Amino acid sequence: MSNEEVEAIVAKAVTETLVKLGIEASDYKEMQADFTHLRRWRKSVEQAQSYTFKAVVTTIAAGVMGAIWLGFQAMLHK
Protein backbone atom coordinates (compact mmCIF):
# COMPACT_ATOMS: atom_id res chain seq x y z
CA MET A 1 0.00 0.00 0.00
CA SER A 2 1.45 3.34 -0.99
CA ASN A 3 1.74 6.43 1.14
CA GLU A 4 -0.90 8.22 -0.95
CA GLU A 5 -3.39 5.37 -0.45
CA VAL A 6 -2.83 5.43 3.30
CA GLU A 7 -3.33 9.20 3.39
CA ALA A 8 -6.55 8.89 1.35
CA ILE A 9 -7.90 6.22 3.70
CA VAL A 10 -7.05 8.28 6.78
CA ALA A 11 -8.57 11.45 5.28
CA LYS A 12 -11.77 9.57 4.45
CA ALA A 13 -11.96 8.06 7.94
CA VAL A 14 -11.46 11.44 9.60
CA THR A 15 -14.07 13.08 7.36
CA GLU A 16 -16.61 10.32 8.06
CA THR A 17 -15.96 10.57 11.80
CA LEU A 18 -16.50 14.33 11.76
CA VAL A 19 -19.72 13.94 9.77
CA LYS A 20 -20.99 11.37 12.28
CA LEU A 21 -20.28 13.87 15.05
CA GLY A 22 -22.30 16.49 13.17
CA ILE A 23 -19.33 18.54 12.02
CA GLU A 24 -18.98 19.54 8.40
CA ALA A 25 -15.34 19.10 7.47
CA SER A 26 -15.68 21.54 4.59
CA ASP A 27 -16.79 24.37 6.91
CA TYR A 28 -13.75 24.40 9.19
CA LYS A 29 -13.86 28.18 9.82
CA GLU A 30 -17.29 27.86 11.40
CA MET A 31 -16.04 25.00 13.53
CA GLN A 32 -13.04 27.07 14.65
CA ALA A 33 -15.38 29.90 15.62
CA ASP A 34 -17.50 27.45 17.63
CA PHE A 35 -14.47 26.13 19.48
CA THR A 36 -13.25 29.67 20.13
CA HIS A 37 -16.63 30.54 21.60
CA LEU A 38 -16.61 27.40 23.75
CA ARG A 39 -13.11 28.25 25.02
CA ARG A 40 -14.20 31.77 25.98
CA TRP A 41 -17.30 30.37 27.71
CA ARG A 42 -15.21 27.81 29.63
CA LYS A 43 -12.72 30.45 30.75
CA SER A 44 -15.50 32.79 31.92
CA VAL A 45 -17.11 29.95 33.90
CA GLU A 46 -13.75 29.09 35.47
CA GLN A 47 -13.24 32.74 36.39
CA ALA A 48 -16.72 32.94 37.93
CA GLN A 49 -15.98 29.81 39.96
CA SER A 50 -12.76 31.37 41.17
CA TYR A 51 -14.53 34.56 42.24
CA THR A 52 -17.26 32.53 43.95
CA PHE A 53 -14.68 30.50 45.88
CA LYS A 54 -12.88 33.68 46.95
CA ALA A 55 -16.18 35.24 48.08
CA VAL A 56 -17.09 32.14 50.12
CA VAL A 57 -13.67 32.03 51.78
CA THR A 58 -13.85 35.76 52.54
CA THR A 59 -17.34 35.41 54.02
CA ILE A 60 -16.29 32.48 56.22
CA ALA A 61 -13.16 34.31 57.36
CA ALA A 62 -15.17 37.45 58.16
CA GLY A 63 -17.69 35.38 60.12
CA VAL A 64 -14.96 33.68 62.14
CA MET A 65 -13.23 36.98 62.82
CA GLY A 66 -16.57 38.54 63.85
CA ALA A 67 -17.29 35.66 66.22
CA ILE A 68 -13.82 35.99 67.75
CA TRP A 69 -14.31 39.76 68.15
CA LEU A 70 -17.71 39.32 69.78
CA GLY A 71 -16.26 36.70 72.11
CA PHE A 72 -13.39 39.00 73.00
CA GLN A 73 -15.78 41.89 73.70
CA ALA A 74 -17.99 39.65 75.84
CA MET A 75 -14.95 38.61 77.90
CA LEU A 76 -13.94 42.26 78.43
CA HIS A 77 -17.41 43.35 79.62
CA LYS A 78 -17.77 40.69 82.32
Side-chain angles (χ1 to χ4, degrees):
M1 192 177 285
S2 71
N3 193 26
E4 291 82 22
E5 291 173 330
V6 171
E7 287 178 4
I9 291 170
V10 170
K12 183 178 178 188
V14 169
T15 301
E16 288 177 3
T17 303
L18 290 174
V19 168
K20 287 179 182 177
L21 292 173
I23 300 170
E24 290 184 41
S26 62
D27 195 11
Y28 68 91
K29 289 193 183 230
E30 187 72 23
M31 186 173 61
Q32 286 176 342
D34 290 343
F35 282 125
T36 301
H37 174 75
L38 287 173
R39 180 176 289 127
R40 281 195 311 259
W41 178 262
R42 177 182 53 85
K43 288 189 180 270
S44 68
V45 168
E46 288 172 352
Q47 187 176 24
Q49 287 174 341
S50 173
Y51 287 146
T52 302
F53 178 74
K54 289 175 185 174
V56 168
V57 169
T58 302
T59 303
I60 291 171
V64 169
M65 294 299 288
I68 290 172
W69 179 252
L70 287 175
F72 182 68
Q73 281 185 338
M75 285 177 43
L76 288 179
H77 293 321
K78 280 188 174 184

